[in-house]
Amino acid sequence: MEKFVIEGGHRLNGEVTISGAKNAVVAILPAVLLSDGICRIENIPNISDVTTMIKILHGMGAKIRMINPTTVEIDPRPVNSHIVEHDLTRKMRASYYLIGALLGRYSKACVAMPGGCDFGVRPIDQHIRGFEALGAQVTMEKNAMVNVKADMLIGTSIYMDVVTVGATINVMLAAVKARGLTIIENAAKEPHIVDLANFLNTMGADVRGAGTDVIKIRGVESLHGCTYSIIPDQIEAGTFMVATAATGGRVHIKNIIPKHLESITAKLEECGVSIIEDEDGEGLVVSSNANLVRCNVKTMPHPGFPTDMQPQMTVLLSVAEGTSVVSESVWDNRFKYVDQLTRMGALIHVDGKVAVVEGVKKLQGAPVRADDLRAGAAMIIAGLIASGTTEIENIEYIDRGYDNIVGKLTTLGAKIDRVNFPDGEALVKNVG
Ligand code: EPU
């Protein structure tokens, strides 16, 4: 087992380059299954969710060639089954995109139920409604397999009852080769939805309106291979912005799309942080003197403040002057990590989906654990600003979504190490 050991109190300074977006690549890799040719995907991040998805595709028979650490070539043509029993699918949420992609390719799919971070109930009713609207029948098998099949997928109008990234993507994947026009209303607008649409269009699809709440997909007969580069990761960039702001440093964050970061930029500026776009428009310079002031944050679907930045921002607010209110409106249960922060001296009171954060002068290092991916990122930021040493367990969550986080932070002046510790010697006992 491994943990991170952080010696707090060092400001972040310098330059960091952001990797490709996790939530885009985990949709685009399964989408390759819809192609009749080889797809070359560039700017893929080196994270365990990508490794898992590539292993699943390989297990299905796809030919995989790593060209270099950030480029993969996938030939989906040898895949000859619509069934994915692989245990790996249960390890990650995005494995449910295999359902939409296989349905689009074969008009049928049978995939083990997805896993992923635990934020309370994570229903897939909107995915199922979407598949059914396209003419498929959906059944849940006893062995936790989702079985979807259609004689023929036929385009239709689908109104999403909730704004959902996953269901929007899954319906796009299923509809791209359906007969006629599919219209998704109340669609999610996240940058990764746009990236998937761009990828599908590069393969010859006809998808319009991605990034607005109405997406129109005119089905095409076939899709061809292509070369495509994944967009930069909005949440990795946001995490470095908050980490810089919280430590009182100055960092040039490169290879980003500033537009994707507007809600995060606005909140950090409200807290007293300076953020300036660089000359080429593909970077931001974040500087802070660590005298942060309170603000209120409410998470919303894009273009609102991203729920995937909520834990990191809460850490920053825990040392900002005054009382902040953080409202989580996307997930039912995304404040579990607050117990860990409290161990470090934060003063936070959680009531359901609202956290009231009383700013304290300083956090103190402590043994803590990553409860999920973004909670893990939050613990790292807490460790960077705390006095003394912080040890973080369960770091495999962090490896799912942050490419070389230790290397990147070390280059910026952080004191963080990845160390082994023997199985059974858990640092954080009797918590949660
Ligand atoms: N929802 C339903 N029914 C559905 C689907 C979703 O009620 O059929 C609800 C959910 O319970 C939730 C809300 O709709 O309350 C939004 O869920 P969404 O489907 O948008 O989430 P997701 O697709 O499962 C993706 C990201 C998450 C991110 C959310 C929200 C991926 C692989 N995951 O999850 O990212 O929090 O969108 O932006 O894209 C992360 O990267 O750390 C992460 C958890």
Side-chain angles (χ1 to χ4, degrees):
M1 288 168 88
E2 291 179 318
K3 64 183 174 184
F4 287 153
V5 178
I6 303 174
E7 179 194 294
H10 302 277
R11 290 166 189 247
L12 299 186
N13 280 299
E15 283 183 5
V16 66
T17 300
I18 298 305
S19 301
K22 160 186 166 281
N23 288 344
V25 73
V26 296
I28 285 172
L29 292 174
V32 168
L33 289 169
L34 291 158
S35 164
D36 292 336
I38 296 172
C39 292
R40 185 182 176 111
I41 314 294
E42 300 170 347
N43 200 33
I44 56 169
N46 183 5
I47 54 176
S48 66
D49 268 11
V50 165
T51 314
T52 303
M53 186 58 87
I54 287 178
K55 276 188 190 158
I56 294 172
L57 292 172
H58 183 253
M60 292 167 71
K63 268 199 197 147
I64 312 280
R65 232 178 104 214
M66 284 310 293
I67 305 296
N68 61 48
T70 59
T71 304
V72 64
E73 244 178 37
I74 304 174
D75 184 351
R77 288 171 297 190
V79 175
N80 59 14
S81 168
H82 68 286
I83 300 169
V84 193
E85 278 177 297
H86 220 298
D87 257 0
L88 288 175
T89 61
R90 301 186 206 274
K91 274 198 170 178
M92 63 188 291
R93 195 73 194 158
S95 57
Y96 58 23
Y97 296 144
L98 294 164
I99 307 175
L102 288 169
L103 187 60
R105 173 167 166 158
Y106 293 116
S107 295
K108 56 187 177 180
C110 189
V111 178
M113 272 295 278
C117 294
D118 175 13
F119 314 132
V121 185
R122 294 187 75 171
I124 58 165
D125 57 303
Q126 299 302 309
H127 305 237
I128 293 172
R129 272 189 60 234
F131 297 146
E132 287 175 345
L134 290 166
Q137 285 154 5
V138 183
T139 47
M140 299 301 216
E141 306 292 327
K142 281 203 195 86
N143 51 356
M145 302 283 283
V146 187
N147 199 355
V148 186
K149 55 178 175 224
D151 293 334
M152 178 189 277
L153 294 165
I154 299 179
T156 184
S157 260
I158 299 161
Y159 185 92
M160 295 286 174
D161 292 340
V162 286
V163 180
T164 138
V165 170
T168 301
I169 288 180
N170 243 337
V171 172
M172 286 166 75
L173 295 171
V176 82
K177 289 167 83 176
R179 183 193 277 184
L181 181 67
T182 299
I183 303 178
I184 307 173
E185 295 194 64
N186 201 25
K189 296 181 279 204
E190 270 63 9
H192 28 290
I193 305 270
V194 180
D195 209 33
L196 173 68
N198 288 340
F199 171 65
L200 293 171
N201 288 341
T202 309
M203 289 199 295
D206 183 354
V207 180
R208 297 172 196 207
T212 75
D213 51 15
V214 181
I215 300 178
K216 293 186 178 165
I217 305 160
R218 198 167 286 284
V220 294
E221 286 280 311
S222 63
L223 296 172
H224 51 75
C226 70
T227 296
Y228 191 79
S229 182
I230 303 287
I231 50 164
D233 195 302
Q234 173 203 29
I235 305 300
E236 188 198 6
T239 301
F240 276 98
M241 290 168 74
V242 172
T244 304
T247 62
R250 184 176 191 280
V251 174
H252 186 179
I253 299 171
K254 298 168 91 171
N255 185 38
I256 55 162
I257 300 175
K259 180 101 193 127
H260 293 166
L261 296 160
E262 279 175 353
S263 61
I264 302 163
T265 298
K267 281 295 149 188
L268 287 176
E269 284 177 341
E270 213 178 312
C271 294
V273 179
S274 155
I275 299 172
I276 297 168
E277 199 169 310
D278 70 9
E279 274 168 15
D280 63 11
E282 291 177 3
L284 290 174
V285 179
V286 178
S287 10
S288 152
N289 59 11
N291 292 326
L292 303 160
V293 289
R294 61 160 297 281
C295 76
N296 294 338
V297 175
K298 182 171 185 180
T299 67
M300 305 276 273
H302 193 77
F305 190 90
T307 172
D308 294 342
M309 283 302 301
Q310 180 260 99
Q312 301 90 313
M313 193 67 190
T314 301
V315 170
L316 178 140
L317 295 174
S318 76
V319 292
E321 193 188 332
T323 303
S324 308
V325 177
V326 180
S327 315
E328 172 57 53
S329 76
V330 177
W331 296 110
D332 285 342
N333 189 6
R334 205 171 191 175
F335 283 120
K336 271 193 301 183
Y337 68 90
V338 164
D339 284 348
Q340 307 294 310
L341 270 188
T342 309
R343 296 161 66 90
M344 298 178 72
L347 274 182
I348 304 176
H349 176 72
V350 176
D351 186 4
K353 292 163 77 172
V354 176
V356 178
V357 186
E358 309 271 358
V360 295
K361 287 254 172 305
K362 197 86 195 142
L363 299 180
Q364 294 90 44
V368 291
R369 66 162 186 245
D371 275 321
D372 60 61
L373 166 59
R374 308 303 172 187
M379 290 308 131
I380 291 181
I381 298 173
L384 294 175
I385 58 176
S387 53
T389 303
T390 296
E391 303 195 355
I392 306 175
E393 271 186 47
N394 284 9
I395 60 171
E396 58 281 3
Y397 278 116
I398 302 169
D399 292 336
R400 288 184 48 193
Y402 287 92
D403 183 346
N404 186 24
I405 191 149
V406 169
K408 289 182 183 183
L409 284 170
T410 303
T411 307
L412 295 174
K415 300 278 178 260
I416 174 168
D417 287 311
R418 178 189 287 269
V419 299
N420 279 309
F421 70 103
D423 281 8
E425 276 191 23
L427 295 161
V428 188
K429 298 193 176 85
N430 306 321
V431 188

